[in-house]
Every structure is written in C-alpha cells, then in structure tokens.
Amino acid sequence: MNIYVGNLSWNLKDQDLQNLFASHGEVASAKIVTDKFTNRSKGFGFVEMPNDDQAQAAIAALNGTEVDGRNIVVNESRPKPEGERSGGGGGFKKRSFGGGGGGGYKKGGGYNRDRGGYNNDY
C-alpha cells in the first residue's frame, strides 16, 4: 500500500520517515518529496508498505501525531485521476489573468494594455 504523509517538518529526511513507519511493519520505501531546484523538502512524502494490514495500522497510529513539532497527516495515497498530473492540478498558474476571456478583466480599465504581448487587446 502506498501511504501519503503530509505536514512534515522540513528537517525530516527519507530515513526519518522510514524509521517512523518501521515500528509498525515492513517498509518497502520512504521518500520525502523535494523541490527540484532548491532540493528543499516540500513538506510531504510517500511511504510504501507491502502488507496492507500493517499499513492500515500505521495510518491509524500515526495520523495526527506530532513529529518534530508538527501534527502530521497520514492516509492512504490514491492515484490522481488520468490527466490531472499534466496540467489539471495547478494549471491555473500558467494562464495570466484576463487572458482568454478570464473573468472580465479586459473591460473597464484596459488591464492588459501595459502588460504587453496581447496584440488582439489593443
């Protein structure tokens, strides 16, 4: 079973996560997700446990407990729906406000006029 672990302290390393779950059963892998540019923890990770009963016990025992000053969130990881990984979640960051008829910013005040790059707005 793949387990999501959130609200982690930035000080924790993969080994700390593995040790936390090892007391509840066999841990196949433990990985804290890091930013690819700064290599700093994003505050969440995943633990894989081959035995579902042990994994459920670990989830029940660890969810809401305090680790390094933070109450962690532990639950069963569910795969994202198809397509969400590539642009669905967080895709709003790629669009600019007012572009493509978004929210009426084009009207009243010419929001895009001094932003440049929108030739059809002039």
Side-chain angles (χ1 to χ4, degrees), residues 17 26 28 39 48 69 73-74 87 103 117:
L17 196 57
E26 182 188 347
N39 215 24
E48 194 172 333
V73 176
V74 183

Side-chain angles (χ1 to χ4, degrees), residues 53-112:
D53 291 335
Q54 291 175 350
Q56 290 292 354
I59 291 170
L62 294 172
N63 188 29
T65 59
E66 188 176 311
V67 177
D68 200 25
R70 302 185 67 135
N71 291 337
I72 62 171
V73 176
V74 183
N75 53 42
E76 184 178 346
S77 174
R78 288 176 175 54
K80 289 185 175 185
E82 192 61 39
E84 189 174 321
R85 193 177 302 262
S86 59
F92 65 90
K93 294 176 185 168
K94 296 174 186 158
R95 295 183 213 120
S96 66
F97 293 107
Y105 286 107
K106 291 180 184 179
K107 297 180 182 116
Y111 183 77
N112 286 330

